[in-house]
Amino acid sequence: VAELPVLQTEHSEAPEARFSPGDAVRVIAKATPGHTRCPAYIRGKVGLIRLVYPLAYYPELRAHSTVKRREHSYAVEFAAAHLWNKGDPSQTVLVELFESYLEAQ
Amino acid sequence: MSASHQAPPAAASEPAPVERRALALRDALVDRGLVEAGEAEALAHRAVQELSPANGARVVARAWVDPDFRQRLLANATAAAKELGIEGIEGRQMVALENTATTHNVIVCTQCSCTAWPLLGLPPDWYKAPSYRARVVREARALLAEMGLQLPAATNIPRLGYQRRDAIFRVADATSGDRAFHGRTTRQSCYSRCTDRGCSH
């Protein structure tokens, strides 16, 4: 098996979601190697929390290490005009993102 | 003996049709005791018969005529679908989004092929195609028009991007969406979250 990076050491699961619906968040700009579920096209972009999901296994750790850690994930809504040149002003993109991908805006 | 004097081996020049090769592989696996007899047939039956978009259509139709069910569906799609006996892998945590007269949802998984199998069936090739995944988050209105769905200019198009996520063109398809749309009836789109199984695919 090829050597795969262990991206993060284990820490305890936070029982409470850090963000609530309506909160503005910015997606971390740094690209994470490996099996990330954070798409490139929203890195560094600002969106609004719409839905909060229950704890689920953080995919990078699950894919590349034996550590299993759960965290909250969210549906975050972005304006297409904020994501793309000449983006449709009537279009938004709702993206499911883990808490580790987000920082408070 | 020179190669030019040898007839080309017939078996190598023309591979057997994929169906015959698949059946031969199945028989070999059964012969060696690696799979049970009938296991492949059961899996094929589930993929074709049970994982059907007709399940999603049934859920949406129920929501049309049962306001209480509609509320439960929007609050917890996984539990509501289970009421109708619809559940399973790639559907352990499903979410329903409702289309309205002014908002149309469409689903995509830009990273893979995630979708709610129990409600929508296995993802079709076009859903997994890089061109669909790249374009629907960028120019949904134009793409939907190419696929035969013209939306009024006033319609908003939220999309559940990335993962699985993203919304609803498929359900519209599965539920005679055009008719529903023109009739301004309530439609739901359902998707299953990538975190269902950590999106390991």
Side-chain angles (χ1 to χ4, degrees), chain A residues 51 53 75 94 96, chain B residues 77 90 93-97 107 115-116 119-120 160 163-167 171 189-194:
Chain A
L51 299 169
Y53 297 125
L94 197 58
E96 292 187 349
Chain B
E90 293 297 311
Q93 206 167 58
M94 299 186 288
V95 177
L97 298 177
I107 301 173
T115 193
L119 287 170
L120 300 174
L160 219 41
Q163 317 188 40
R164 239 171 233 199
R165 327 165 86 329
D166 313 45
V171 171
S189 73
C190 301
Y191 67 97
S192 175
R193 307 188 49 228
C194 242

Side-chain angles (χ1 to χ4, degrees), chain A residues 35-41 51 53-57 59 62 73-75 77 80 83-98 101, chain B residues 93 95 97 109-112 114 136-141 153 155-166 191-195 197-201:
Chain A
H35 187 74
T36 184
R37 300 285 88 194
C38 181
Y41 72 92
L51 299 169
Y53 297 125
L55 292 169
Y57 289 111
R62 199 182 191 199
S73 62
Y74 305 86
E77 188 168 26
L83 301 179
W84 317 110
N85 288 333
K86 299 177 187 169
D88 181 347
S90 71
Q91 179 184 323
T92 67
V93 183
L94 197 58
V95 186
E96 292 187 349
L97 296 167
F98 280 84
Y101 305 150
Chain B
Q93 206 167 58
V95 177
L97 298 177
C109 175
T110 60
Q111 306 229 316
C112 48
C114 307
V136 75
V137 292
R138 195 182 288 263
E139 46 177 6
R141 191 180 299 276
T155 306
N156 294 316
I157 312 175
R159 219 165 338 319
L160 219 41
Y162 150 39
Q163 317 188 40
R164 239 171 233 199
R165 327 165 86 329
D166 313 45
Y191 67 97
S192 175
R193 307 188 49 228
C194 242
T195 51
R197 58 172 195 182
C199 197
S200 51
H201 51 306

